[in-house]
Amino acid sequence: MTKEIAAIPGDGIGQEVLPAAIDVLEALDRDFEFVEGRAGNAVYEREGTPLPEETRELAREADATLFGAAGELAADIILPLRQDVEAFANVRPARAYPGVDGVKPETDLVFVRENTQGVYAGIESDLTDDVATLTRLITGEASRKIAEYGFEYADEHDADRITVAHKANVMRTTDGLFVDTAAEVAEEMDVEYDEALIDALAMHLVMHPEDYDVIVTPNLAGDVLSDLAAGLVGGLGMLPSANVGDDNALFEPVHGSAPDIAGEGIANPSAMILSAAMMLEYFGDDEDGQRVRNAVETVLEDGPRTPDLGGDASTEEFTDAVLEEL
Ligand code: ATP
Ligand code: MG
C-alpha cells in the first residue's frame, strides 16, 4: 500500500539534504508518495507564520514525516511538529562512521529518550519576583511506554544490553517511579538489563562508550547525554534521529540549518539519509534500512566525501555515489 510521506525541507541545508534522502528512498522499490510541506523563514516572511496549519495537517495525516532543518524559528516549527505526530520517544543513534574523526570511534549506541515529561513538561511558575519553581512530572504510564519502546527497539536491533539511566538516589519519588517501572518491564523481556546513575553514566560514556547499546532515559538527561554521545562520534553531519508516536513519526537529522554553508550545495546529506533509513525500519523494512546504511558507510569508506569530512564532493556527488552503491 502507498505510504504518504510528508516532506518538509524547512530552512538552509534542509533544502539540500532532504531531496538527497528522497532520491535514495525513490531508488528503493517502495511505494512512497512524497507530499511537500512548507515551513521556515521564507514561509514566515510570506505568510506570517513559519509553520502553516496546512503543513501541520499534512504531518498529522501522513504515515510519517521527513523533516530537513529549521533556523531561527526552530522552536516554532519543530516543537509543534513533534506534537503533531504525538511523539513520546526521541531516538538518537550515536554511531561512529568510517572516515569521520570521532573521539571514540568504537561508539555504537542508541538513546531512547522520553520526550513528554520530566522537567520539560512545562510546569513552571514564578512564586515571587525572586523565586521560581518547576514541577518534575513523571507518570508510570509514560515510563512504561518508553521502557517498552526501548526494549522493543533493543530486541529488533539485536542489542545485547539495555541501560536505564536515572537519578533515583536523589529524586526518589519521580525517578524511583521511572526506574522501577523500567525494571518491571525488564522482567517481561529477554534482553540484558541494567541501571545507571546519570552522572556516573556521563563519565563512563566518555571513557567506555563501547559498553552501551541502548540507553533509555528521562527527558532532560536524554537531551544532554545524547549530545555528549554525538560529540564522541564527531560528525554533526552524520547523526540521524526519530521522533516516534503511537501511530506516526517524524525523522530528522540532528544538525540545524547550517546557514554558513547553505546554498553552496556542499552539505553532507548522511544524517538526513540515515534518518530516512530509520523511517524504513519504522515501517518494518529493516532490510532496506540496513541497505541504505551500508551504502552510506561504503561511500564514506572509499567514495567521495563532502568538505565537512575533509573531501571536496558536493551533496549531489555524494548522493549519486550512495545511489550507485544501492
Ligand atoms: P541552526 O541555528 O540552524 O542550528 P547553526 O549555525 O547552529 O544553525 P548547525 O546546523 O547546528 O548550524 O551546524 C553547526 C556547524 O556544523 C556549522 O558550521 C555547519 O556548517 C556544520 N554542519 C552542520 N550540519 C552539517 C552538514 N549536514 N553538512 C556539513 N556541515 C554541517
Ligand atoms: Mg545548531
Side-chain angles (χ1 to χ4, degrees):
M1 228 185 61
T2 306
K3 294 229 185 290
E4 185 181 288
I5 312 298
I8 309 176
D11 294 307
I13 62 167
Q15 299 279 347
E16 299 161 47
V17 296
L18 184 53
I22 291 176
D23 284 349
V24 168
L25 289 170
E26 282 183 334
L28 304 167
D29 198 17
R30 299 285 313 239
D31 200 3
F32 290 133
E33 190 198 344
F34 298 95
V35 185
E36 181 160 337
R38 307 187 317 282
N41 277 327
V43 178
Y44 175 72
E45 272 154 34
R46 272 198 317 269
E47 306 182 31
T49 167
L51 183 65
E53 185 49 40
E54 200 189 331
T55 305
R56 300 189 64 172
E57 185 73 24
L58 173 67
R60 284 195 292 265
E61 299 300 322
D63 292 295
T65 295
L66 289 173
F67 182 79
E72 293 116 70
L73 301 171
D76 299 321
I77 298 172
I78 194 63
L79 299 183
L81 281 174
R82 287 177 189 157
Q83 278 166 9
D84 287 333
V85 302
E86 296 178 41
F88 64 86
N90 181 227
V91 184
R92 275 179 64 171
R95 168 153 187 246
Y97 278 85
V100 182
D101 256 343
V103 186
K104 289 282 181 183
E106 59 278 36
T107 309
D108 185 6
L109 54 85
V110 179
F111 278 95
V112 175
R113 162 187 167 198
E114 202 291 319
N115 216 14
T116 65
Q117 307 207 314
V119 291
Y120 289 170
I123 316 170
E124 277 193 296
S125 53
D126 282 314
L127 291 190
T128 71
D129 283 348
D130 197 46
V131 180
T133 64
L134 164 69
T135 298
R136 184 168 194 266
L137 174 74
I138 298 283
T139 66
E141 192 185 345
S143 302
R144 169 163 276 276
K145 205 161 167 169
I146 197 70
E148 284 175 348
Y149 184 83
F151 274 100
E152 277 160 28
Y153 189 96
D155 192 45
E156 280 163 18
H157 292 79
D158 298 319
D160 294 329
R161 184 154 94 133
I162 183 163
T163 305
V164 173
H166 67 95
K167 192 72 185 169
N169 56 338
V170 178
M171 297 185 282
R172 292 198 182 109
T173 311
T174 51
D175 264 3
L177 180 57
F178 186 81
V179 72
D180 288 351
T181 307
E184 269 171 40
V185 174
E187 279 172 25
E188 303 155 15
M189 308 295 286
D190 198 22
V191 179
E192 193 192 324
Y193 165 81
D194 65 21
E195 298 166 359
L197 292 171
I198 288 158
D199 45 353
L201 177 62
M203 182 190 71
H204 206 89
L205 265 175
V206 171
M207 298 178 73
H208 296 289
E210 71 279 7
D211 286 353
Y212 300 95
D213 287 321
V214 174
I215 306 179
V216 174
T217 71
N219 207 341
L220 168 65
D223 193 13
V224 176
L225 294 175
S226 62
D227 264 32
L228 180 148
L232 294 177
V233 298
L236 198 50
M238 297 301 310
L239 296 169
S241 79
N243 297 278
V244 182
D246 282 320
D247 32 47
N248 206 341
L250 179 148
F251 302 84
E252 55 176 326
V254 168
H255 63 71
S257 65
D260 53 335
I261 58 163
E264 292 179 32
I266 54 164
N268 180 353
S270 299
M272 186 78 240
I273 294 172
L274 295 169
S275 300
M278 292 182 84
M279 184 183 81
L280 290 165
E281 287 178 346
Y282 167 77
F283 287 142
D285 190 350
D286 294 356
E287 206 174 303
D288 276 343
Q290 192 58 48
R291 271 178 70 202
V292 170
R293 249 197 307 278
N294 289 345
V296 169
E297 188 162 338
T298 308
V299 175
L300 287 168
E301 243 165 359
D302 44 36
R305 284 195 201 151
T306 46
D308 56 309
L309 302 180
D312 58 6
S314 65
T315 308
E316 205 179 320
E317 284 162 343
F318 179 87
T319 309
D320 284 347
V322 173
L323 291 172
E324 185 104 341
E325 195 55 44
L326 276 177

